[in-house]
Amino acid sequence: MPKKTWENTLTQHHLLKRIPTAPFGNIRDRHIVKYDEYVKTGGYEGLRKALTMKPTDVTSQVKDSVLRGRGGAGFPTGLKWTFLPDPDGGQRYLAINADESEPGTFKDRLLMDFDPHGLLEGIAICMYACRLNKAYIFIRGEYHHQAHVLEEAIKEAYENGIFGEKGLLNQAGVSGDPFVGDCYVHRGAGAYICGEETALLEGIEGKRGWPRIKPPFPALKGLFDRPTIINNVETLAHLPFIMSEGSEAFMEQGVESSIGGPPSFGTKLMGVSGHVEKPGCYELDLGIPLRKLVEDYCGGMRNGKKFKGAIPGGVSMGILGPDQYDAEMDFDIGRKYDVLGLGTSGPTVFDEDTDMVSVARNIARFYKHESCGQCTPCREGSGWLYQIMTRIEAGDAKTKDLDLAMEVAKSMGSMPGTTICGLADGNNWAARTIMEKYRSEFESRVARTFVPVTIDMAALSGA
């Protein structure tokens, strides 16, 4: 049986069915979907179905769908849930990553802006399946409006039997013991590093956002040292569809792996920015070629200019070069095109006039500013990279500085084993891939390193 591949079919998907988005609707018609409208359009049917099942069966259905995390790493969601220990009567937590501070990423914001109950239904399903007592939505500090929208939606959810003592639809049809779950919004303070899952936990606990050493992993010892599941907003928003329509329906979307790895099933929100005619957030099957995304949905390159490159999913993923315009937007992209991964699937597109040296310098500046400073290679290395990139951009560097920048980049990060979290890896891959794929631009900005070599033949001969 042939593997499922991406097909160019125009289909209205489930995440944005209540959020008018081209080509299915006009963005001027967007509005906040309240509880009544959400229910009239099929909302909370997935939760109702989940409540007729055993919690372990809900987890199995999510596991069967092969839903992979939409926050960046792409880890199978259902498999993550199985890492939890059996309930022992103590508190168990769900932490929702709504920090979304990765540059070029704005997909979760769209869901929280207009369809907050889609997220809340996913939260309720996860809490029921995993027996989690409390959920904290850790939202980015700059998302003032979105936090207000979520708080209003949570209030509606409590009033209508989703959360609280009279929640989970008043325990009607629940399989097993009665279960109570509470949900709260926790606002961050604007630190990029709090998007890392263990730094996020530190933030919820009221501490400084420093990543934790793992193990122990959050599923065993997370928030307040209790079992904790951490999921992204978009990941949880997929759960109502999976529960109401079944895992098979979810697996009909997206693609199989083309290199023998795990599949990339389902749809993905892709927030496109940069030099395109119609930037925006689109919901498409995983596996769509970047060229089709840009030309069929985003109106092509701005002002008809040529494609030069694109960051596929947040700046930490590195860059796709000018010859990688047809890269498939799925979880295989890292191994196939020498980038860190799909990340948040928010392509930032560059045209032929873009100065890639300036791009590298600007990304290095960002990471220097956002490093938490806990690990020396990241704290010092990010500063060194920024200094080198600044010298190169100004024309004050030499050829040896290019080699030095590569050496610094490759020796920092959790992948080479020198830091606790992956912030330095993002810095590494961004700098390295830009320098490798646009080497000529960097070489044209530096002076050649000249080391004079003199040989005294008389001295060598002992004369």
Side-chain angles (χ1 to χ4, degrees), residues 84-146:
L84 284 168
D86 293 333
D88 60 2
Q91 291 286 345
R92 291 154 65 92
Y93 297 96
L94 171 62
I96 299 94
N97 190 341
D99 192 63
E100 197 166 55
S101 51
E102 181 77 10
T105 305
F106 48 91
K107 62 184 181 64
D108 295 341
R109 173 179 177 174
L110 184 64
L111 296 175
M112 294 184 287
D113 262 330
F114 302 108
D115 196 12
H117 283 283
L119 168 61
L120 298 186
E121 183 177 3
I123 290 173
I125 292 170
C126 178
M127 294 180 75
Y128 172 72
C130 299
R131 315 309 279 174
L132 307 175
N133 312 99
K134 285 182 169 51
Y136 290 95
I137 304 173
F138 187 94
I139 190 168
R140 180 179 178 178
E142 294 87 346
Y143 279 1
H144 306 290
H145 172 71
Q146 292 74 21

Side-chain angles (χ1 to χ4, degrees), residues 137-175:
I137 304 173
F138 187 94
I139 190 168
R140 180 179 178 178
E142 294 87 346
Y143 279 1
H144 306 290
H145 172 71
Q146 292 74 21
H148 175 72
V149 171
L150 281 175
E151 286 167 350
E152 290 298 313
I154 290 173
K155 187 183 300 183
E156 288 185 318
Y158 271 92
E159 292 170 353
N160 289 278
I162 308 301
F163 300 119
E165 292 290 338
K166 299 180 180 180
L168 284 178
L169 304 184
N170 303 313
Q171 305 294 325
V174 177
S175 176

Side-chain angles (χ1 to χ4, degrees), residues 270-289:
M270 301 185 183
V272 188
S273 59
H275 302 150
V276 296
E277 291 288 353
K278 299 177 181 178
C281 190
Y282 303 87
E283 183 184 5
L284 299 164
D285 283 36
L286 281 164
I288 181 174

Side-chain angles (χ1 to χ4, degrees), residues 77-339:
T77 303
L79 180 60
K80 178 188 283 189
W81 292 3
T82 64
F83 295 159
L84 284 168
D86 293 333
D88 60 2
Q91 291 286 345
R92 291 154 65 92
Y93 297 96
L94 171 62
I96 299 94
N97 190 341
D99 192 63
E100 197 166 55
S101 51
E102 181 77 10
T105 305
F106 48 91
K107 62 184 181 64
D108 295 341
R109 173 179 177 174
L110 184 64
L111 296 175
M112 294 184 287
D113 262 330
F114 302 108
D115 196 12
H117 283 283
L119 168 61
L120 298 186
E121 183 177 3
I123 290 173
I125 292 170
C126 178
M127 294 180 75
Y128 172 72
C130 299
R131 315 309 279 174
L132 307 175
N133 312 99
K134 285 182 169 51
Y136 290 95
I137 304 173
F138 187 94
I139 190 168
R140 180 179 178 178
E142 294 87 346
Y143 279 1
H144 306 290
H145 172 71
Q146 292 74 21
H148 175 72
V149 171
L150 281 175
E151 286 167 350
E152 290 298 313
I154 290 173
K155 187 183 300 183
E156 288 185 318
Y158 271 92
E159 292 170 353
N160 289 278
I162 308 301
F163 300 119
E165 292 290 338
K166 299 180 180 180
L168 284 178
L169 304 184
N170 303 313
Q171 305 294 325
V174 177
S175 176
D177 297 330
F179 177 74
V180 176
D182 290 301
C183 185
Y184 309 93
V185 173
H186 184 101
R187 300 184 66 174
Y192 168 80
I193 193 61
C194 284
E196 195 276 335
E197 61 176 13
T198 58
L200 181 149
L201 298 180
E202 293 283 292
I204 295 177
E205 292 180 1
K207 302 173 185 175
R208 182 174 182 174
W210 273 11
R212 300 174 181 176
I213 295 174
K214 295 180 287 188
F217 292 95
L220 297 177
K221 191 175 181 181
L223 195 59
F224 305 112
D225 289 337
R226 294 293 302 166
T228 304
I229 288 294
I230 306 169
N231 282 141
N232 176 256
V233 167
E234 185 186 351
T235 306
L236 294 168
H238 277 290
L239 297 182
F241 177 83
I242 292 173
M243 294 311 304
S244 62
E245 303 299 326
S247 57
E248 294 81 5
F250 183 80
M251 295 166 68
E252 290 175 359
Q253 305 163 340
V255 294
E256 297 273 4
S257 172
S258 60
I259 56 176
S264 298
F265 290 145
T267 63
K268 184 78 183 67
L269 294 181
M270 301 185 183
V272 188
S273 59
H275 302 150
V276 296
E277 291 288 353
K278 299 177 181 178
C281 190
Y282 303 87
E283 183 184 5
L284 299 164
D285 283 36
L286 281 164
I288 181 174
L290 178 61
R291 184 190 297 271
K292 286 188 173 293
L293 172 59
V294 171
E295 297 184 358
D296 293 359
Y297 291 88
C298 302
M301 296 297 296
R302 192 173 65 188
N303 299 326
K305 293 186 177 180
K306 294 181 180 179
F307 171 84
K308 186 172 185 177
I311 295 169
V315 297
S316 61
M317 293 299 106
I319 197 165
L320 297 168
D323 59 340
Q324 297 175 331
Y325 195 15
D326 291 303
E328 300 88 354
M329 300 294 290
D330 59 35
F331 290 106
D332 290 342
I333 195 171
R335 291 169 60 186
K336 292 173 67 175
Y337 298 100
D338 189 29
V339 291

Side-chain angles (χ1 to χ4, degrees), residues 31-47:
H31 60 279
I32 299 174
V33 177
K34 299 290 187 177
Y35 178 85
D36 290 340
E37 181 182 354
Y38 184 73
V39 171
K40 288 179 181 178
T41 54
Y44 289 110
E45 288 303 316
L47 175 61

